Amino acid sequence: MRADKPEPEQAKSQPAENDAPLGADMEPWWAGLGPVAAVLLIVVGVALLVWLHLTSSDTPGDGAVTGYQISRLVVIGMVVAGGGILARHRARNAKRAAPHGADED
């Protein structure tokens, strides 16, 4: 065999089953938040945005990155709160749609 060609076993090395990319199976930090924490996140984010607006200097790009990051917190809070409200609404509708005799088996 020539030295410059790899053997078929070496060329077809397969990754192990648990060699997933780093962070592939992890949930985002906000995945476990409930509706109360989401509302708290919204309130704190809005308060930080107001504080940033009131304390920023007159230069246009001074707090743009900070404002963007804070606004992302507010949006994450809105999404989590909306998801909690939607889940509660679906559960309520599922109870209404269930026949009354289905509970008494």
Side-chain angles (χ1 to χ4, degrees):
M1 243 177 131
R2 291 178 27 183
D4 60 339
K5 284 197 169 192
E7 294 183 20
E9 293 82 26
Q10 292 175 350
K12 294 183 179 181
S13 63
Q14 296 179 359
E17 291 177 10
N18 58 359
D19 284 347
L22 184 62
D25 59 344
M26 296 176 58
E27 292 182 345
W29 62 267
W30 47 268
L33 292 178
V36 175
V39 171
L40 182 65
L41 193 62
I42 294 169
V43 169
V44 168
V46 169
L48 285 173
L49 283 172
V50 169
W51 176 77
L52 180 68
H53 179 70
L54 292 176
T55 60
S56 66
S57 63
D58 292 334
T59 56
D62 193 28
V65 174
T66 305
Y68 172 72
Q69 296 294 333
I70 294 171
S71 63
R72 284 179 53 186
L73 289 177
V74 173
V75 170
I76 288 171
M78 289 178 168
V79 168
V80 172
I85 291 170
L86 184 61
R88 184 174 294 176
H89 181 69
R90 286 182 179 171
R92 188 179 309 147
N93 284 344
K95 283 184 181 180
R96 287 183 193 163
H100 295 289
D103 297 345
E104 304 169 3
D105 282 339

